[in-house]
């Protein structure tokens, strides 16, 4: 007879004694269980004891998380969170340097547990740590020269404990004094500082800026870009990552009117070229977190264009109209005629003719073309940049098209406006950075005016594609679709420079795009004749079973998931995999991202597949409802799913990417006997079905398959031709 569901068999350790095997009744109060354990070892004052998970995390067992205890778990009897917090609160104030250092080290480890953190914070522990940072460490600074490693460790553990405690979100960031901010900022501004101290200091500054608008102003007064730049010129990628994260935070929280000013300072300090030289072109491979921070910086830089993109042109503004006159002057090499140089009608006629050649929709008043938002004035800015910095190409395009027949000319003005709008869509100008994206493009860090140069390359591509397609004005939208495909395909190759991007586009001519499309069509060809459709229906269950087995095999291999916290670089990892017999999900926390599969033995927790009631996705997941910040993030919502088991218990996931999301939701649905409905299942079905169909139809090449099966012949008049072997 199986044991009751509320009984859990565990081992409990106590220093200096043999471990005990116990059966814990989950219905009993936790205090009663602790009392029973203490009595077994003849320990009094059971109120001063608690149970911990005996692994690297050392998390305390509470009434809230006690259901996480599984059969076979190893627990440890230890002092209660309050007692531990009280002891550490006293120990970190010790006059002995060695004792203080050991206490701070223990505090940094213990602070990861929210139960302990709450008790330590209740003892005003955060204030104690900030006082130690503000003034307490100064008494040791005289000894710094002779005890530098010890001083660095002391400060490092102090800041680590502070960061871990703040990471739980119990205390508001707004409570900190200017003196504390100045002290943290001083560690960042010093040229020679312990690496661990510098890391923690940068992390604290980033959190302050992101979590409080008031602290943003205080931090911005203490830290300058010039003080951050030297940290990017080193070789430690973690320090570089934290530094860019602080710059991004300052950029993100800066008021609208100050962002352009900050961008100007970043340009003056040559931030782009420093990142290109010391980070992107560094021999050290770029890790995910650095890629994310570079992506955020890229997005924030492009978002500076939003103001111009959403600004309509004022047809009555003379300064704005002068830009259009300048485009005309450069293209046709004409100076503005004096007022007496002909009648007004004659000049208007001449302007209208030239504006038509420039490809504007409104030949009389081209300013009207720029009243559409997006792209607004950004399109005119791009056109002027192209005309001034790539003058030969600009003149060639305008004159080349003005000499063609009206219906075959590629209208430069209209093309530039639509192309600018398209590039803004591709680069998502105006959208906030995604929390999980690492999609930065190295080529945008190779030029101070990367967006404008990007436009210049693409407008020349558009003109070239127009000629290759022999397009007319009716084909304008078709040309734009082809150009979009060319740009997207070239960007997907992640060119390292704008020249490399240009070279990739040269290889993606209209002819090449047609070949790619034809190849893709052939790979996805869907034969519509009745015999083929019947064959497809017959093969489909076999293919679906194959996909199901692949999904289950991937679940058996397992996946590393992130526990996303408010501070990304301190994300915790956990691993989940399906047992080979498909009956149990094994999962457990990890210290760091694994290099390969994690064995079942090292995953402490188990969830029988038979206990799973449902798979929930997206905004219906409980962890998406809890996390207000993540709730607004569409990408995270699309990667979230939860497994409902027992009555009201959930195992919550956030997949690392869309592919893993589809694999896991498909696999879990397959285990529950439900249909696999993900996009990847449809894609795999189409691909495998198409391949199988083509393999089976190889022998029928060039043979016409009839729509209907051939008629069954009439029965013969006699069966005399049958030979009886017996």
């Amino acid at each position: 007879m199986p044991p009751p569901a509320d009984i859990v068999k565990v081992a409990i350790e106590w220093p200096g004694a043999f471990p005990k095997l116990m059966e814990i009744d989950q219905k009993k109060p936790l205090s009663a269980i602790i009392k029973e354990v203490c009595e077994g070892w003849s320990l009094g004052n059971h109120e001063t004891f608690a149970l911990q998970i005996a692994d690297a995390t050392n998390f305390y067992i509470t009434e809230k998380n006690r259901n996480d205890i599984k059969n076979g778990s190893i627990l440890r009897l230890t002092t209660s969170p309050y007692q531990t917090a009280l002891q550490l609160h006293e120990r970190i104030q010790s006059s002995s340097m060695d004792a203080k250092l050991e206490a701070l080290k223990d505090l940094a480890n213990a602070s990861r547990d929210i139960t302990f953190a709450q008790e330590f914070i209740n003892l005003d522990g955060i204030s104690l740590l900030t006082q130690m940072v503000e003034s307490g460490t100064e008494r040791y600074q005289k000894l710094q020269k002779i005890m530098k490693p010890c001083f660095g460790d002391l400060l490092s553990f102090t800041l680590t404990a502070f960061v871990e405690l703040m990471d739980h979100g119990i205390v508001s960031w707004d409570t900190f004094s200017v003196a504390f901010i100045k002290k943290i900022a001083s560690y960042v501004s010093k040229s020679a500082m312990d690496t661990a101290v510098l890391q923690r200091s940068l992390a604290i500054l980033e959190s302050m800026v992101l979590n409080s608008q008031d602290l943003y102003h205080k931090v911005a007064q203490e830290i300058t870009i010039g003080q951050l730049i030297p940290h990017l010129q080193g070789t430690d990628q973690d320090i570089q990552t934290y530094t860019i994260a602080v710059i991004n935070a300052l950029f993100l929280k800066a008021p609208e009117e100050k962002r352009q000013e900050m961008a100007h300072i970043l340009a003056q300090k040559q931030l782009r070229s420093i990142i290109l030289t010391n980070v992107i072109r560094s021999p050290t491979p770029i890790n995910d977190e650095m890629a994310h921070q570079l992506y955020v910086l890229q997005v924030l830089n492009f978002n500076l264009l939003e103001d111009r993109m959403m600004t309509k042109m004022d047809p009555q503004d003379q300064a704005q109209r002068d830009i259009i006159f300048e485009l005309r002057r450069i293209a046709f090499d004409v100076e503005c005629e004096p007022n007496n140089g002909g009648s007004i009608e004659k000049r208007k006629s001449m302007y209208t003719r030239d504006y038509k050649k420039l490809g504007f929709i409104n030949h009389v008043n081209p300013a009207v073309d720029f009243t559409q938002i997006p792209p607004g004035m950004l399109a005119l800015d791009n056109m002027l940049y192209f005309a001034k910095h790539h003058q030969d190409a600009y003149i060639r395009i305008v004159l080349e098209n003005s000499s063609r027949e009206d219906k075959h000319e590629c209208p430069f003005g209209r093309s530039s406006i639509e192309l600018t709008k398209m590039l803004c869509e591709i680069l998502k100008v105006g959208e906030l950075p995604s929390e999980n994206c690492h999609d930065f493009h190295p080529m945008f860090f190779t030029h101070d005016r990367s967006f404008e140069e990007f436009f210049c390359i693409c407008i020349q591509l558009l003109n070239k594609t127009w000629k290759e397609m022999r397009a007319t004005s009716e084909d304008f939208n078709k040309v734009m679709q082809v150009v979009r495909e060319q740009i997207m395909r070239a960007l997907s190759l992640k060119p390292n420079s704008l020249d490399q991007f240009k070279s990739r586009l040269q290889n993606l001519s209209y002819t090449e795009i047609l070949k790619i499309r034809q190849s893709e069509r052939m790979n996805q060809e869907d034969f519509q004749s009745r015999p083929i459709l019947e064959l497809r229906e017959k093969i489909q269950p076999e293919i679906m079973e194959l996909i199901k087995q692949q999904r289950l095999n991937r679940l058996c291999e397992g996946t590393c998931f992130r526990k996303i916290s408010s501070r990304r670089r301190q994300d915790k990892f956990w691993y989940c995999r399906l047992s080979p017999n498909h009956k149990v999900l094994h999962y457990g926390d990890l210290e760091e991202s694994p290099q390969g599969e994690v064995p079942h033995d090292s995953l402490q927790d188990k969830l029988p597949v038979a206990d799973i009631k449902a798979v929930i996705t997206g905004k219906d997941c409980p962890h998406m409802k809890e996390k207000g910040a993540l709730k607004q993030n569409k990408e995270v919502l699309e990667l979230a799913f939860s497994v409902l088991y027992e009555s009201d218990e959930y195992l919550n996931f956030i997949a690392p990417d869309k592919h893993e999301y589809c694999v896991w939701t498909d696999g879990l649905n397959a285990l529950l006997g439900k249909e696999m409905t993900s996009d990847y299942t449809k894609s795999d079905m189409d691909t495998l079905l198409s391949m199988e169909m083509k393999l089976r139809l190889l022998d029928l090449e060039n043979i016409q398959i009839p729509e209907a099966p051939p008629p069954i012949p009439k029965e013969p008049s006699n069966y005399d031709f049958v030979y009886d072997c017996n």
Side-chain angles (χ1 to χ4, degrees):
M1 182 178 172
D6 294 318
I7 302 297
V8 184
K9 294 183 178 181
V10 298
I12 300 179
E13 299 175 341
W14 172 249
F18 287 108
K20 282 188 174 185
L21 296 176
M22 277 191 69
E23 289 187 353
I24 290 179
D25 185 351
Q26 291 285 38
K27 288 182 178 177
K28 285 175 69 175
L30 194 57
S31 56
I33 295 169
I34 293 170
K35 184 179 180 182
E36 185 183 335
V37 173
C38 289
E39 287 172 351
W41 274 309
S42 304
L43 299 170
N45 298 325
H46 69 273
E47 299 89 355
T48 62
F49 290 93
L51 291 173
Q52 271 182 338
I53 298 286
D55 61 11
T57 62
N58 291 330
F59 284 167
Y60 282 99
I61 302 298
T62 64
E63 291 292 352
K64 286 184 180 178
N65 65 15
R66 63 183 295 175
N67 288 325
D68 293 341
I69 303 174
K70 306 296 177 186
N71 280 315
S73 295
I74 300 174
L75 308 182
R76 182 187 298 118
L77 184 67
T78 185
T79 53
S80 69
Y82 172 74
Q83 289 295 324
T84 306
L86 202 61
Q87 291 166 12
L88 284 172
H89 194 274
E90 292 172 5
R91 285 172 59 202
I92 62 175
Q93 299 180 72
S94 169
S95 56
S96 164
M97 187 74 145
D98 291 337
K100 192 184 193 83
L101 184 63
E102 196 61 35
L104 284 167
K105 186 177 179 181
D106 291 344
L107 177 62
N109 288 327
S111 296
R112 290 180 294 176
D113 180 73
I114 191 168
T115 312
F116 167 84
Q118 185 70 67
E119 296 292 351
F120 189 77
I121 289 167
N122 289 343
L123 294 170
D124 214 13
I126 292 280
S127 296
L128 179 59
L129 291 177
T130 54
Q131 286 169 21
M132 288 171 65
V133 171
E134 287 173 28
S135 57
T137 53
E138 286 177 4
R139 73 184 72 165
Y140 302 106
Q141 287 185 7
K142 293 177 182 176
L143 303 172
Q144 187 175 355
K145 289 184 180 178
I146 56 173
M147 301 180 71
K148 190 172 182 179
C150 187
F151 172 78
D153 289 345
L154 183 81
L155 194 52
S156 169
F157 288 130
T158 305
L159 295 177
T160 301
F162 175 83
V163 168
E164 292 288 358
L165 290 167
M166 291 303 297
D167 197 30
H168 296 296
I170 299 168
V171 179
S172 168
W173 283 93
D174 286 308
T175 57
F176 299 107
S177 66
V178 174
F180 178 72
I181 297 168
K182 283 179 181 288
K183 184 62 71 174
I184 297 296
S186 72
Y187 299 143
V188 172
S189 58
K190 285 179 183 175
S191 54
M193 179 51 71
D194 181 82
T195 303
V197 173
L198 182 57
Q199 271 192 15
R200 303 297 181 274
S201 300
L202 287 166
I204 291 168
L205 290 177
E206 182 203 1
S207 292
M208 283 179 171
V209 173
L210 290 176
N211 287 287
S212 167
Q213 194 64 33
D214 184 46
L215 285 182
Y216 155 74
H217 293 291
K218 292 176 182 175
V219 172
Q221 288 173 355
E222 298 299 327
I223 286 290
T224 64
I225 299 299
Q227 291 167 335
L228 293 170
I229 293 290
H231 301 313
L232 291 172
Q233 294 171 320
T235 54
D236 188 319
Q237 191 170 115
D238 286 336
I239 294 293
Q240 291 173 329
T241 304
Y242 280 85
T243 304
I244 296 175
V246 173
I247 293 171
N248 285 340
L250 289 167
F251 214 145
L252 192 63
K253 287 293 179 176
E256 291 288 335
E257 64 275 8
K258 284 196 173 182
R259 284 187 190 172
Q260 291 289 351
E261 181 186 328
M262 187 174 172
H264 182 65
I265 294 169
L266 293 177
Q268 279 186 330
K269 298 292 182 183
Q270 298 183 320
L271 176 72
R272 179 197 56 76
S273 59
I274 289 169
I275 289 175
L276 182 67
T277 305
N278 296 284
V279 178
I280 295 174
R281 291 180 178 169
S282 162
T284 309
I286 291 175
N287 60 33
D288 282 352
E289 185 53 39
M290 174 59 88
H292 173 75
Q293 295 300 341
L294 290 173
Y295 152 78
V296 172
L297 184 59
Q298 173 186 292
V299 170
L300 294 175
N301 269 313
F302 284 141
N303 281 357
L304 293 170
L305 304 169
E306 185 183 11
D307 183 48
R308 294 293 282 173
M309 181 182 81
M310 301 308 290
T311 301
K312 290 183 179 182
M313 185 170 185
D314 181 0
Q316 306 306 318
D317 188 320
Q318 188 57 45
Q320 294 179 358
R321 293 177 67 185
D322 285 344
I323 299 175
I324 298 175
F325 291 150
E326 182 68 5
L327 289 173
R328 174 178 172 268
R329 185 194 66 76
I330 295 171
F332 304 114
D333 195 23
V334 293
E335 297 297 333
C336 291
E337 295 81 1
N339 290 334
N340 58 359
S343 67
I344 294 173
E345 288 76 14
K346 186 178 178 183
R347 285 207 306 276
K348 279 186 178 179
S349 173
M350 190 165 52
Y351 286 159
T352 301
R353 183 197 66 206
D354 289 348
Y355 292 148
K356 185 174 182 295
K357 288 179 181 179
L358 281 168
F360 290 112
I361 298 171
N362 191 316
H363 307 149
V364 178
N365 186 5
V368 176
D369 289 11
F370 299 97
T371 55
Q372 172 197 347
I373 54 168
M377 288 295 291
L378 185 60
L380 188 58
D381 294 343
N382 283 340
M383 291 166 72
L384 184 63
Y385 181 90
F386 181 50
K388 285 189 169 181
H389 294 83
H390 299 270
Q391 195 166 318
D392 291 345
Y394 167 68
I395 293 170
R396 189 186 71 249
I397 287 175
V398 173
L399 296 183
E400 198 176 83
N401 284 294
S402 62
S403 62
R404 290 183 189 154
E405 290 179 55
D406 284 355
K407 68 174 185 176
H408 282 291
E409 70 173 357
C410 176
F412 173 73
R414 183 185 174 192
S415 299
S416 298
I417 292 167
E418 290 301 319
L419 179 64
T420 301
K421 184 180 177 183
M422 180 200 292
L423 297 183
C424 289
E425 289 171 1
I426 290 171
L427 298 176
K428 298 180 179 177
V429 175
E431 293 186 23
L432 285 173
S434 164
E435 213 170 281
N436 279 346
C437 190
H438 311 115
D439 189 25
F440 84 97
H441 294 278
M443 73 176 196
F444 291 129
F445 289 85
T446 61
H447 202 285
D448 289 328
R449 304 288 294 275
S450 58
F451 183 79
E452 289 86 345
E453 288 293 325
F454 185 42
F455 169 83
C456 293
I457 293 169
C458 293
I459 193 66
Q460 293 177 74
L461 167 73
L462 194 153
N463 190 60
K464 173 174 168 280
T465 303
W466 185 282
K467 288 189 288 185
E468 289 172 350
M469 291 178 69
R470 295 177 181 166
T472 63
S473 52
E474 289 82 14
D475 300 321
F476 186 86
N477 290 334
K478 289 180 184 175
V479 175
M480 294 305 292
Q481 287 171 5
V482 173
V483 169
R484 188 187 191 98
E485 187 173 343
Q486 290 170 313
I487 293 168
M488 294 299 287
R489 288 185 184 278
L491 282 177
S492 68
L493 300 170
K494 291 289 175 74
N496 290 318
S497 67
L498 290 162
D499 286 337
Q500 206 174 85
F501 173 68
K502 199 171 182 178
S503 173
R504 297 272 195 274
L505 289 175
Q506 291 292 334
N507 298 329
L508 284 168
S509 63
Y510 176 58
T511 308
E512 186 62 28
I513 291 292
L514 285 180
K515 286 180 184 175
I516 293 168
R517 285 180 174 180
Q518 187 177 3
S519 171
E520 289 175 351
R521 259 199 309 271
M522 286 175 65
N523 290 335
Q524 297 170 3
E525 195 169 13
D526 188 13
F527 303 106
Q528 295 301 319
S529 64
R530 188 177 155 195
I532 301 297
L533 291 174
E534 287 179 3
L535 180 60
R536 283 175 67 90
E537 286 176 17
K538 184 180 177 183
I539 297 172
Q540 209 156 341
E542 300 171 23
I543 302 293
M544 188 56 79
E545 184 61 29
L546 185 66
I547 294 170
K548 176 183 171 182
Q549 290 305 318
Q550 187 273 339
R551 299 293 192 261
L552 295 176
N553 289 340
R554 275 291 292 108
L555 264 61
C556 290
E557 291 172 16
T559 301
C560 177
F561 296 94
R562 263 182 168 169
K563 290 183 177 178
I564 293 186
S565 65
S566 58
R567 302 189 63 259
R568 300 181 83 262
R569 282 179 304 288
Q570 292 205 349
D571 288 351
K572 305 299 188 295
F573 297 94
W574 68 290
Y575 201 88
C576 187
R577 64 184 298 182
L578 181 65
S579 62
N581 63 5
H582 300 173
K583 290 187 177 180
V584 179
L585 282 175
H586 297 265
Y587 63 96
D589 292 340
L590 302 175
E591 284 296 305
E592 57 185 4
S593 184
Q595 304 295 317
E597 289 184 24
V598 176
H600 294 94
D601 303 343
S602 61
L603 301 173
Q604 300 293 331
D605 300 313
K606 297 178 184 178
L607 172 59
V609 172
D611 290 351
I612 297 175
K613 301 287 187 291
V615 178
I616 301 163
T617 60
K619 62 183 179 183
D620 296 327
C621 298
H623 56 317
M624 290 296 101
K625 292 174 182 175
E626 290 168 10
K627 293 181 179 285
L630 293 180
K631 202 163 98 174
Q632 305 302 324
N633 193 313
K634 187 182 173 187
E635 268 195 41
V636 175
L637 278 174
E638 288 175 351
L639 299 176
F641 62 99
S642 299
V643 171
L644 170 65
Y645 62 97
E646 293 179 359
S647 57
D648 226 359
E649 296 294 322
Y650 293 90
L651 187 60
N652 298 319
F653 299 76
I654 295 177
D657 52 49
K658 187 69 176 175
H659 181 263
E660 289 296 325
Y661 170 84
C662 292
V663 165
W664 275 85
T665 51
D666 282 344
L668 291 169
N669 280 322
L671 288 172
L672 298 178
K674 295 181 179 179
E675 190 180 351
M676 299 184 292
T677 56
S678 77
D679 294 339
Y680 277 86
T681 294
K682 293 169 188 170
S683 173
D684 289 349
M685 173 60 78
D686 291 342
T687 303
L688 294 171
L689 200 52
S690 175
M691 288 171 62
E692 184 66 21
M693 292 286 291
K694 285 174 183 176
L695 284 171
R696 295 200 182 195
L697 297 173
L698 273 177
D699 293 337
L700 297 177
E701 194 173 356
N702 298 325
I703 296 175
Q704 185 68 35
I705 300 172
E707 281 296 319
I712 298 171
K714 292 178 181 178
E715 289 188 18
S717 56
N718 63 70
Y719 291 90
D720 294 343
F721 57 86
V722 175
Y723 180 74
D724 189 354
C725 295
N726 297 326

